Amino acid sequence: MKKLILIFLFTLVSSSHAMVGINRAVDDYLDENFREFDHVGKFIYLGPLTKCDEVVDVFVVGDMGSGETAYSCNICLQNDGGIATVSSSLSACYRD
């Protein structure tokens, strides 16, 4: 019985930090910042950093306004009541 209680408490604690809509938040960020893109690599989840609950790294080939180029994007996600939101001030895409 003790093990069941511990498992339940662990599940409750770990799920309280869960975020939904991570992929959707990243997709929305890319849509806002790129005029168009041809290729989006898979999302690499780097884990939490000081001001971010989750950092997502993604490789994008697209046009941000100066022609089509390859970019590496680091996107900072924050947990807003269980829903993932992008911190635009801490997120950026850099030319590769």
Side-chain angles (χ1 to χ4, degrees):
M1 186 67 168
K2 212 180 221 185
K3 288 182 182 179
L4 285 175
I5 292 172
L6 288 174
I7 291 171
F8 175 75
L9 289 174
F10 176 76
T11 305
L12 182 65
V13 169
S14 64
S15 67
S16 66
H17 297 291
M19 291 186 287
V20 296
I22 290 175
N23 290 354
R24 183 70 192 149
V26 172
D27 287 340
D28 289 346
Y29 177 80
L30 295 175
D31 284 338
E32 287 176 20
N33 288 287
F34 285 88
R35 289 185 179 175
E36 60 182 51
F37 43 86
D38 294 328
H39 173 76
V40 177
K42 75 176 184 179
F43 298 161
I44 300 170
Y45 300 96
L46 303 176
L49 287 179
T50 307
K51 295 183 180 183
C52 304
D53 293 316
E54 183 73 51
V55 176
V56 179
D57 185 50
V58 63
F59 179 78
V60 180
V61 175
D63 182 1
M64 289 185 89
S66 60
E68 189 172 295
T69 297
Y71 294 90
S72 178
C73 298
N74 291 319
I75 302 168
C76 173
L77 298 172
Q78 295 177 329
N79 191 341
D80 186 16
I83 298 172
T85 58
V86 174
S87 174
S88 295
S89 63
L90 299 172
S91 301
C93 293
Y94 305 98
R95 287 181 183 218
D96 258 356

